[in-house]
C-alpha cells in the first residue's frame, strides 16, 4: 500500500508487506530484502545506500523463535540518513521524529546463542524524538528512551527505561549527561527536517 504522495527512488524493496503513507520517502540505492513488513508512517524518510535486511518469519535459521516479527516500523517524521545497516530479524521500532543520523550505524536484532547453538532475536526500540549519531551500534534487546541522544560511536547494549531526557555514550553506552527537554530545540521539531 503506497500513498499517492509517497516517493521512492531507485531502490530494491523486497518485503512481503510494504506500507508507505502520505509524504513518506525512500531515496536511491537502498536494498530492503527478505523482511516480512516495512511500515513507513507519514513523513518518514529512508535516505540512500542503506541495507535493510532479515529473514522471513518462516526461515529455517530462526526456527527456535516462532513468535518473532521480522519488520521495520518508522513512525511519523522519523528516518534514517545514509549508509546504515539495519537487521530486522527481531523487529525494529523507531519512534516519531527520531533520526538515525550520520553514516555507518548498525542496528542488530539477532545473535548466536553459543550455549544452545541457535539464533536468538530480541526487538530494538528507539523512542520518539531521539537522535543517533554516526557509527553507533545498537544490539538486540536494546531500548533508547524518548527524548534521548546516542552519541557518535556508542554501543547500546541493553534496554534503558528512564523518563529523563539524557545523552547516552560510550562502549557500552550509559548516561553521560541529563538534558532539559525545554532547552533542546531538536525535541520540538514539527517535521523530519532540521533547520
Amino acid at each position: 500500500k503506497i500513498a499517492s504522495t509517497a516517493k521512492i527512488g531507485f531502490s530494491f524493496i523486497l518485503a512481503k508487506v510494504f506500507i508507505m503513507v502520505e509524504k513518506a520517502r525512500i531515496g536511491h540505492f537502498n536494498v530492503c530484502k527478505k523482511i516480512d513488513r516495512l511500515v513507513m508512517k507519514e513523513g518518514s524518510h529512508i535516505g540512500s545506500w542503506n541495507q535493510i535486511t532479515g529473514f522471513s518469519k518462516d526461515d529455517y535459521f530462526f526456527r527456535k523463535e516462532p513468535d518473532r516479527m521480522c519488520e521495520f516500523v518508522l513512525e511519523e517524521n522519523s528516518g534514517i540518513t545514509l549508509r546504515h545497516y539495519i537487521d530486522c530479524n527481531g523487529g525494529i521500532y523507531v519512534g516519531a521524529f527520531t533520526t538515525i543520523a550520520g553514516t555507518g550505524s548498525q542496528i542488530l536484532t539477532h545473535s548466536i546463542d553459543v550455549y544452545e547453538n541457535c539464533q536468538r532475536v530480541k526487538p530494538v526500540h528507539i523512542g520518539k524524538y531521539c537522535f543517533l549519531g554516526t557509527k553507533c551500534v545498537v544490539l538486540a534487546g536494546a531500548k533508547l528512551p524518548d527524548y534521548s541522544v546516542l552519541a557518535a560511536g556508542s554501543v547500546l547494549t541493553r534496554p534503558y527505561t528512564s523518563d529523563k531526557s539524557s545523552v547516552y555514550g560510550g562502549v557500552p553506552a550509559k548516561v553521560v549527561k541529563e538534558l532539559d527537554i525545554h532547552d533542546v530545540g531538536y525535541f520540538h521539531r514539527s517535521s523530519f527536517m532540521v533547520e
Side-chain angles (χ1 to χ4, degrees):
K1 297 178 181 178
I2 301 174
S4 61
T5 59
K7 295 187 178 184
I8 305 173
F10 295 106
S11 293
F12 290 100
I13 308 297
L14 305 171
K16 288 183 178 178
V17 175
F18 178 34
I19 300 170
M20 286 181 83
V21 301
E22 301 298 326
K23 299 178 184 176
R25 298 184 62 164
I26 296 177
H28 298 304
F29 312 118
N30 295 287
V31 175
C32 175
K33 62 179 185 172
K34 295 186 177 180
I35 71 172
D36 292 315
R37 264 183 12 126
L38 173 60
V39 178
M40 298 180 67
K41 298 202 178 164
E42 184 173 350
S44 60
H45 181 89
I46 293 175
S48 298
W49 297 102
N50 294 291
Q51 185 171 356
I52 302 165
T53 187
F55 287 98
S56 182
K57 188 173 177 165
D58 53 3
D59 190 270
Y60 174 80
F61 291 108
F62 296 96
R63 64 193 178 280
K64 291 194 175 182
E65 298 283 359
D67 298 325
R68 74 185 179 95
M69 293 299 296
C70 184
E71 62 184 359
F72 187 31
V73 178
L74 292 162
E75 296 293 338
E76 65 271 8
N77 293 297
S78 64
I80 63 177
T81 54
L82 61 131
R83 298 185 188 275
H84 299 295
Y85 178 80
I86 311 293
D87 154 38
C88 301
N89 284 297
I92 297 172
Y93 307 92
V94 179
F97 295 93
T98 285
T99 308
I100 300 168
T103 62
S105 288
Q106 298 177 53
I107 302 177
L108 306 169
T109 63
H110 82 283
S111 63
I112 295 175
D113 181 331
V114 295
Y115 292 102
E116 294 190 28
N117 190 34
C118 67
Q119 298 279 358
R120 290 293 186 196
V121 299
K122 290 183 183 173
V124 166
H125 295 272
I126 300 171
K128 64 184 179 183
Y129 287 97
C130 289
F131 179 88
L132 279 70
T134 196
K135 295 192 183 305
C136 289
V137 175
V138 180
L139 298 179
K143 179 179 181 182
L144 189 64
D146 297 344
Y147 302 100
S148 296
V149 173
L150 184 60
S154 298
V155 179
L156 189 65
T157 61
R158 67 182 191 88
Y160 283 94
T161 57
S162 174
D163 58 357
K164 295 181 181 177
S165 177
S166 300
V167 176
Y168 295 80
V171 180
K174 60 184 179 182
V175 175
V176 295
K177 179 180 180 179
E178 289 188 7
L179 299 171
D180 184 338
I181 290 176
H182 305 293
D183 292 340
V184 182
Y186 178 85
F187 296 154
H188 303 282
R189 291 174 304 125
S190 58
S191 75
F192 172 74
M193 299 305 292
V194 176
E195 294 179 9

